[in-house]
Amino acid sequence: MKKISFLFIVALASACSSIKVSYDYDKTTDFSKYKTYAYTADALALRVDDLNRNRIIAAIDAQMASRGITKSDNPDGLIDLILTTKEQTQATAYNTGGGYYGRYGYAGGFGTTQINYSTYIDGTLFINLIDKSSEKIVWQGRGTKTIDPDASPKKRESNINYAVKSIFYNYPVKPIKK
């Protein structure tokens, strides 16, 4: 599982595939009341290597700061992170050979069908904002992306930032314009 979790983060670094983002929230919540936040113990122990966990947390910190929300030991909201992975298989069929037209019309020949299977992993990062007083999720953003195991560290960081920014795009409080 640890290897798959690491590979999920690499997925965020792939420039070849786009991230699919969705969100949900409690429409009765006044999001302007969340001025401070902290991470849950589970978020800080996210099952991924330290480098990529730190990249995810730094990207979230940047998004929260852009909205005027700061870290605190006595927060209004808690950030929880969940990581899931799913192995997918894709089959592609190729037909070769066939017949030909001869003196008496079409003549059948031989043909073959080759099927190639490829497996890949889709990873999903869930970012939850939990109201500290009620202990209920009030906002959830999700990003899903196919994993690229060959991404460089620079590309991982860049795309983790892009993925987290994309997930936060529909957060009810927009970034403060400078």
Side-chain angles (χ1 to χ4, degrees), residues 82-125:
I82 300 169
L83 181 67
T84 64
T85 57
K86 183 176 182 183
E87 186 172 310
Q88 306 280 5
T89 302
Q90 179 177 9
T92 307
Y94 299 95
N95 293 318
T96 59
Y100 61 92
Y101 283 94
R103 182 173 176 181
Y104 301 105
Y106 183 78
F110 64 92
T112 60
T113 300
Q114 179 180 358
I115 301 175
N116 292 331
Y117 295 95
S118 61
T119 58
Y120 59 94
I121 297 174
D122 278 342
T124 302
L125 176 65

Short mmCIF file of all heavy atoms in Angstrom, two decimals, residues 82-125:
data_model
loop_
_atom_site.label_atom_id
_atom_site.label_comp_id
_atom_site.label_asym_id
_atom_site.label_seq_id
_atom_site.Cartn_x
_atom_site.Cartn_y
_atom_site.Cartn_z
N ILE A 82 -7.33 12.38 2.74
CA ILE A 82 -7.52 10.95 2.48
C ILE A 82 -6.97 10.67 1.09
O ILE A 82 -7.17 11.45 0.16
CB ILE A 82 -9.01 10.56 2.53
CG1 ILE A 82 -9.60 10.88 3.91
CG2 ILE A 82 -9.21 9.09 2.18
CD1 ILE A 82 -11.11 10.76 3.98
N LEU A 83 -6.28 9.56 0.98
CA LEU A 83 -5.67 9.17 -0.28
C LEU A 83 -6.17 7.78 -0.66
O LEU A 83 -6.14 6.87 0.16
CB LEU A 83 -4.15 9.13 -0.09
CG LEU A 83 -3.29 8.78 -1.25
CD1 LEU A 83 -3.36 9.87 -2.30
CD2 LEU A 83 -1.85 8.62 -0.78
N THR A 84 -6.70 7.64 -1.87
CA THR A 84 -7.12 6.33 -2.35
C THR A 84 -6.47 6.07 -3.70
O THR A 84 -6.15 7.01 -4.44
CB THR A 84 -8.65 6.22 -2.51
OG1 THR A 84 -9.08 7.13 -3.53
CG2 THR A 84 -9.38 6.51 -1.21
N THR A 85 -6.27 4.80 -4.01
CA THR A 85 -5.72 4.42 -5.30
C THR A 85 -6.54 3.27 -5.86
O THR A 85 -7.12 2.49 -5.12
CB THR A 85 -4.25 3.98 -5.18
OG1 THR A 85 -4.15 2.92 -4.24
CG2 THR A 85 -3.36 5.13 -4.74
N LYS A 86 -6.57 3.18 -7.19
CA LYS A 86 -7.30 2.10 -7.85
C LYS A 86 -6.54 1.70 -9.11
O LYS A 86 -6.26 2.55 -9.96
CB LYS A 86 -8.71 2.55 -8.20
CG LYS A 86 -9.55 1.46 -8.82
CD LYS A 86 -10.97 1.92 -9.06
CE LYS A 86 -11.79 0.78 -9.64
NZ LYS A 86 -13.14 1.21 -9.96
N GLU A 87 -6.22 0.42 -9.19
CA GLU A 87 -5.55 -0.08 -10.39
C GLU A 87 -6.58 -0.29 -11.49
O GLU A 87 -7.64 -0.86 -11.26
CB GLU A 87 -4.83 -1.39 -10.09
CG GLU A 87 -3.99 -1.87 -11.26
CD GLU A 87 -3.12 -3.06 -10.92
OE1 GLU A 87 -2.41 -3.01 -9.89
OE2 GLU A 87 -3.15 -4.03 -11.69
N GLN A 88 -6.26 0.19 -12.68
CA GLN A 88 -7.14 0.08 -13.84
C GLN A 88 -6.43 -0.74 -14.92
O GLN A 88 -5.21 -0.75 -14.99
CB GLN A 88 -7.46 1.47 -14.42
CG GLN A 88 -8.00 2.45 -13.44
CD GLN A 88 -9.48 2.25 -13.18
OE1 GLN A 88 -10.09 1.33 -13.66
NE2 GLN A 88 -10.06 3.14 -12.40
N THR A 89 -7.20 -1.40 -15.78
CA THR A 89 -6.64 -2.13 -16.92
C THR A 89 -7.33 -1.63 -18.18
O THR A 89 -8.55 -1.48 -18.22
CB THR A 89 -6.87 -3.65 -16.77
OG1 THR A 89 -6.25 -4.08 -15.57
CG2 THR A 89 -6.27 -4.40 -17.94
N GLN A 90 -6.51 -1.41 -19.21
CA GLN A 90 -7.05 -0.97 -20.50
C GLN A 90 -6.61 -1.98 -21.55
O GLN A 90 -5.45 -2.38 -21.60
CB GLN A 90 -6.51 0.42 -20.85
CG GLN A 90 -7.00 0.94 -22.17
CD GLN A 90 -6.51 2.35 -22.45
OE1 GLN A 90 -5.66 2.88 -21.74
NE2 GLN A 90 -7.01 2.95 -23.49
N ALA A 91 -7.54 -2.41 -22.39
CA ALA A 91 -7.24 -3.35 -23.47
C ALA A 91 -7.39 -2.63 -24.81
O ALA A 91 -8.35 -1.91 -25.03
CB ALA A 91 -8.17 -4.55 -23.41
N THR A 92 -6.41 -2.85 -25.70
CA THR A 92 -6.46 -2.28 -27.03
C THR A 92 -6.27 -3.41 -28.03
O THR A 92 -5.29 -4.17 -27.94
CB THR A 92 -5.34 -1.23 -27.22
OG1 THR A 92 -5.43 -0.27 -26.17
CG2 THR A 92 -5.47 -0.52 -28.55
N ALA A 93 -7.18 -3.55 -28.99
CA ALA A 93 -7.12 -4.62 -29.99
C ALA A 93 -6.65 -4.06 -31.33
O ALA A 93 -7.06 -2.97 -31.74
CB ALA A 93 -8.48 -5.27 -30.14
N TYR A 94 -5.78 -4.81 -31.98
CA TYR A 94 -5.27 -4.45 -33.30
C TYR A 94 -5.54 -5.61 -34.25
O TYR A 94 -5.20 -6.76 -33.94
CB TYR A 94 -3.76 -4.20 -33.26
CG TYR A 94 -3.35 -3.07 -32.34
CD1 TYR A 94 -2.95 -3.33 -31.03
CD2 TYR A 94 -3.38 -1.77 -32.78
CE1 TYR A 94 -2.59 -2.30 -30.19
CE2 TYR A 94 -3.01 -0.72 -31.95
CZ TYR A 94 -2.61 -1.00 -30.64
OH TYR A 94 -2.26 0.02 -29.82
N ASN A 95 -6.12 -5.31 -35.39
CA ASN A 95 -6.36 -6.33 -36.42
C ASN A 95 -5.34 -6.14 -37.53
O ASN A 95 -5.11 -5.02 -37.99
CB ASN A 95 -7.77 -6.21 -37.00
CG ASN A 95 -8.82 -6.54 -35.98
OD1 ASN A 95 -8.69 -7.50 -35.23
ND2 ASN A 95 -9.87 -5.74 -35.93
N THR A 96 -4.75 -7.25 -38.00
CA THR A 96 -3.78 -7.19 -39.09
C THR A 96 -4.13 -8.24 -40.12
O THR A 96 -4.84 -9.20 -39.84
CB THR A 96 -2.35 -7.46 -38.57
OG1 THR A 96 -2.31 -8.75 -37.97
CG2 THR A 96 -1.91 -6.40 -37.57
N GLY A 97 -3.61 -8.07 -41.31
CA GLY A 97 -3.83 -9.04 -42.38
C GLY A 97 -5.18 -8.83 -43.03
O GLY A 97 -5.79 -7.77 -42.93
N GLY A 98 -5.65 -9.84 -43.74
CA GLY A 98 -6.96 -9.74 -44.38
C GLY A 98 -6.90 -10.30 -45.78
O GLY A 98 -5.98 -11.03 -46.16
N GLY A 99 -7.86 -9.97 -46.58
CA GLY A 99 -7.97 -10.51 -47.93
C GLY A 99 -7.42 -9.55 -48.97
O GLY A 99 -6.80 -8.54 -48.66
N TYR A 100 -7.67 -9.90 -50.23
CA TYR A 100 -7.22 -9.07 -51.33
C TYR A 100 -8.20 -9.23 -52.49
O TYR A 100 -8.98 -10.17 -52.55
CB TYR A 100 -5.81 -9.46 -51.77
CG TYR A 100 -5.69 -10.87 -52.26
CD1 TYR A 100 -5.83 -11.15 -53.63
CD2 TYR A 100 -5.47 -11.92 -51.39
CE1 TYR A 100 -5.75 -12.46 -54.10
CE2 TYR A 100 -5.39 -13.22 -51.85
CZ TYR A 100 -5.53 -13.48 -53.20
OH TYR A 100 -5.46 -14.77 -53.66
N TYR A 101 -8.15 -8.30 -53.42
CA TYR A 101 -8.97 -8.39 -54.63
C TYR A 101 -8.11 -9.02 -55.72
O TYR A 101 -7.01 -8.56 -56.01
CB TYR A 101 -9.46 -7.00 -55.06
CG TYR A 101 -10.60 -6.52 -54.21
CD1 TYR A 101 -10.38 -5.71 -53.11
CD2 TYR A 101 -11.89 -6.91 -54.50
CE1 TYR A 101 -11.42 -5.29 -52.32
CE2 TYR A 101 -12.95 -6.48 -53.72
CZ TYR A 101 -12.71 -5.67 -52.63
OH TYR A 101 -13.75 -5.26 -51.85
N GLY A 102 -8.62 -10.06 -56.29
CA GLY A 102 -7.90 -10.75 -57.37
C GLY A 102 -8.74 -10.79 -58.63
O GLY A 102 -9.72 -10.07 -58.78
N ARG A 103 -8.39 -11.65 -59.49
CA ARG A 103 -9.03 -11.80 -60.80
C ARG A 103 -10.52 -12.09 -60.69
O ARG A 103 -11.32 -11.65 -61.51
CB ARG A 103 -8.32 -12.91 -61.55
CG ARG A 103 -8.82 -13.14 -62.88
CD ARG A 103 -7.92 -14.13 -63.54
NE ARG A 103 -8.43 -14.46 -64.84
CZ ARG A 103 -7.90 -15.30 -65.65
NH1 ARG A 103 -6.80 -15.91 -65.30
NH2 ARG A 103 -8.43 -15.56 -66.81
N TYR A 104 -10.92 -12.82 -59.68
CA TYR A 104 -12.32 -13.22 -59.54
C TYR A 104 -13.03 -12.50 -58.39
O TYR A 104 -14.00 -12.97 -57.85
CB TYR A 104 -12.40 -14.73 -59.34
CG TYR A 104 -11.81 -15.48 -60.49
CD1 TYR A 104 -10.58 -16.09 -60.37
CD2 TYR A 104 -12.48 -15.53 -61.71
CE1 TYR A 104 -10.02 -16.76 -61.44
CE2 TYR A 104 -11.92 -16.20 -62.79
CZ TYR A 104 -10.69 -16.82 -62.66
OH TYR A 104 -10.14 -17.48 -63.71
N GLY A 105 -12.52 -11.35 -57.99
CA GLY A 105 -13.14 -10.58 -56.92
C GLY A 105 -12.34 -10.71 -55.62
O GLY A 105 -11.15 -11.02 -55.64
N TYR A 106 -13.03 -10.51 -54.55
CA TYR A 106 -12.38 -10.52 -53.23
C TYR A 106 -12.02 -11.94 -52.85
O TYR A 106 -12.83 -12.85 -52.92
CB TYR A 106 -13.30 -9.90 -52.18
CG TYR A 106 -12.68 -9.82 -50.80
CD1 TYR A 106 -11.77 -8.82 -50.52
CD2 TYR A 106 -12.99 -10.74 -49.82
CE1 TYR A 106 -11.18 -8.73 -49.26
CE2 TYR A 106 -12.41 -10.67 -48.56
CZ TYR A 106 -11.51 -9.65 -48.29
OH TYR A 106 -10.92 -9.57 -47.06
N ALA A 107 -10.80 -12.11 -52.42
CA ALA A 107 -10.36 -13.42 -51.94
C ALA A 107 -9.97 -13.28 -50.48
O ALA A 107 -9.21 -12.38 -50.12
CB ALA A 107 -9.16 -13.90 -52.76
N GLY A 108 -10.53 -14.14 -49.66
CA GLY A 108 -10.23 -14.09 -48.24
C GLY A 108 -8.80 -14.49 -47.96
O GLY A 108 -8.18 -15.24 -48.70
N GLY A 109 -8.27 -13.98 -46.96
CA GLY A 109 -6.91 -14.30 -46.56
C GLY A 109 -6.89 -14.63 -45.09
O GLY A 109 -7.88 -15.10 -44.54
N PHE A 110 -5.82 -14.37 -44.50
CA PHE A 110 -5.74 -14.62 -43.07
C PHE A 110 -5.55 -13.29 -42.34
O PHE A 110 -5.03 -12.34 -42.92
CB PHE A 110 -4.60 -15.59 -42.75
CG PHE A 110 -3.25 -15.04 -43.09
CD1 PHE A 110 -2.52 -14.34 -42.15
CD2 PHE A 110 -2.71 -15.19 -44.36
CE1 PHE A 110 -1.28 -13.82 -42.46
CE2 PHE A 110 -1.48 -14.66 -44.68
CZ PHE A 110 -0.75 -13.98 -43.72
N GLY A 111 -5.98 -13.25 -41.16
CA GLY A 111 -5.82 -12.06 -40.33
C GLY A 111 -5.60 -12.48 -38.89
O GLY A 111 -5.91 -13.60 -38.50
N THR A 112 -5.04 -11.57 -38.15
CA THR A 112 -4.83 -11.84 -36.73
C THR A 112 -5.31 -10.65 -35.92
O THR A 112 -5.36 -9.52 -36.42
CB THR A 112 -3.35 -12.09 -36.41
OG1 THR A 112 -2.60 -10.92 -36.76
CG2 THR A 112 -2.80 -13.29 -37.15
N THR A 113 -5.67 -10.93 -34.73
CA THR A 113 -6.04 -9.88 -33.79
C THR A 113 -5.09 -9.96 -32.61
O THR A 113 -4.91 -11.03 -32.03
CB THR A 113 -7.48 -10.04 -33.29
OG1 THR A 113 -8.37 -9.99 -34.42
CG2 THR A 113 -7.86 -8.94 -32.31
N GLN A 114 -4.49 -8.85 -32.32
CA GLN A 114 -3.57 -8.79 -31.17
C GLN A 114 -4.20 -7.87 -30.13
O GLN A 114 -4.68 -6.78 -30.47
CB GLN A 114 -2.22 -8.23 -31.60
CG GLN A 114 -1.23 -8.11 -30.48
CD GLN A 114 0.11 -7.56 -30.96
OE1 GLN A 114 0.31 -7.30 -32.13
NE2 GLN A 114 1.02 -7.37 -30.02
N ILE A 115 -4.20 -8.32 -28.90
CA ILE A 115 -4.76 -7.51 -27.82
C ILE A 115 -3.63 -7.16 -26.85
O ILE A 115 -2.93 -8.05 -26.36
CB ILE A 115 -5.89 -8.24 -27.07
CG1 ILE A 115 -7.01 -8.60 -28.04
CG2 ILE A 115 -6.41 -7.38 -25.92
CD1 ILE A 115 -8.11 -9.43 -27.45
N ASN A 116 -3.45 -5.88 -26.62
CA ASN A 116 -2.45 -5.40 -25.65
C ASN A 116 -3.18 -4.89 -24.41
O ASN A 116 -4.15 -4.14 -24.52
CB ASN A 116 -1.61 -4.27 -26.24
CG ASN A 116 -0.71 -4.74 -27.36
OD1 ASN A 116 -0.30 -5.90 -27.39
ND2 ASN A 116 -0.42 -3.85 -28.29
N TYR A 117 -2.70 -5.31 -23.26
CA TYR A 117 -3.26 -4.87 -21.99
C TYR A 117 -2.26 -3.96 -21.30
O TYR A 117 -1.07 -4.26 -21.26
CB TYR A 117 -3.56 -6.06 -21.08
CG TYR A 117 -4.63 -6.98 -21.62
CD1 TYR A 117 -4.30 -8.11 -22.35
CD2 TYR A 117 -5.96 -6.70 -21.39
CE1 TYR A 117 -5.28 -8.95 -22.85
CE2 TYR A 117 -6.96 -7.53 -21.89
CZ TYR A 117 -6.61 -8.65 -22.62
OH TYR A 117 -7.59 -9.47 -23.11
N SER A 118 -2.74 -2.87 -20.77
CA SER A 118 -1.87 -2.01 -19.96
C SER A 118 -2.59 -1.69 -18.66
O SER A 118 -3.81 -1.54 -18.63
CB SER A 118 -1.53 -0.72 -20.71
OG SER A 118 -2.68 0.02 -21.00
N THR A 119 -1.82 -1.66 -17.61
CA THR A 119 -2.40 -1.32 -16.31
C THR A 119 -1.83 0.01 -15.86
O THR A 119 -0.70 0.37 -16.19
CB THR A 119 -2.09 -2.40 -15.25
OG1 THR A 119 -0.69 -2.54 -15.13
CG2 THR A 119 -2.72 -3.73 -15.61
N TYR A 120 -2.63 0.74 -15.14
CA TYR A 120 -2.22 2.02 -14.59
C TYR A 120 -2.99 2.23 -13.30
O TYR A 120 -3.95 1.52 -13.01
CB TYR A 120 -2.46 3.16 -15.59
CG TYR A 120 -3.90 3.31 -16.02
CD1 TYR A 120 -4.75 4.19 -15.35
CD2 TYR A 120 -4.42 2.56 -17.07
CE1 TYR A 120 -6.07 4.33 -15.74
CE2 TYR A 120 -5.74 2.69 -17.47
CZ TYR A 120 -6.55 3.57 -16.81
OH TYR A 120 -7.86 3.71 -17.18
N ILE A 121 -2.54 3.19 -12.54
CA ILE A 121 -3.19 3.47 -11.26
C ILE A 121 -3.75 4.88 -11.26
O ILE A 121 -3.06 5.82 -11.62
CB ILE A 121 -2.19 3.29 -10.09
CG1 ILE A 121 -1.72 1.84 -10.04
CG2 ILE A 121 -2.84 3.69 -8.77
CD1 ILE A 121 -0.64 1.57 -9.03
N ASP A 122 -5.02 4.99 -10.91
CA ASP A 122 -5.64 6.29 -10.68
C ASP A 122 -5.60 6.55 -9.18
O ASP A 122 -5.94 5.68 -8.39
CB ASP A 122 -7.11 6.31 -11.14
CG ASP A 122 -7.24 6.55 -12.63
OD1 ASP A 122 -6.28 7.03 -13.26
OD2 ASP A 122 -8.32 6.25 -13.18
N GLY A 123 -5.17 7.73 -8.81
CA GLY A 123 -5.15 8.10 -7.41
C GLY A 123 -6.08 9.27 -7.17
O GLY A 123 -6.25 10.13 -8.04
N THR A 124 -6.70 9.30 -5.99
CA THR A 124 -7.61 10.38 -5.62
C THR A 124 -7.19 10.96 -4.28
O THR A 124 -6.98 10.22 -3.32
CB THR A 124 -9.07 9.89 -5.53
OG1 THR A 124 -9.44 9.34 -6.80
CG2 THR A 124 -10.01 11.02 -5.18
N LEU A 125 -7.05 12.27 -4.24
CA LEU A 125 -6.76 12.99 -3.00
C LEU A 125 -8.04 13.71 -2.58
O LEU A 125 -8.61 14.48 -3.35
CB LEU A 125 -5.63 14.00 -3.21
CG LEU A 125 -5.30 14.89 -2.00
CD1 LEU A 125 -4.76 14.04 -0.84
CD2 LEU A 125 -4.29 15.96 -2.40
#
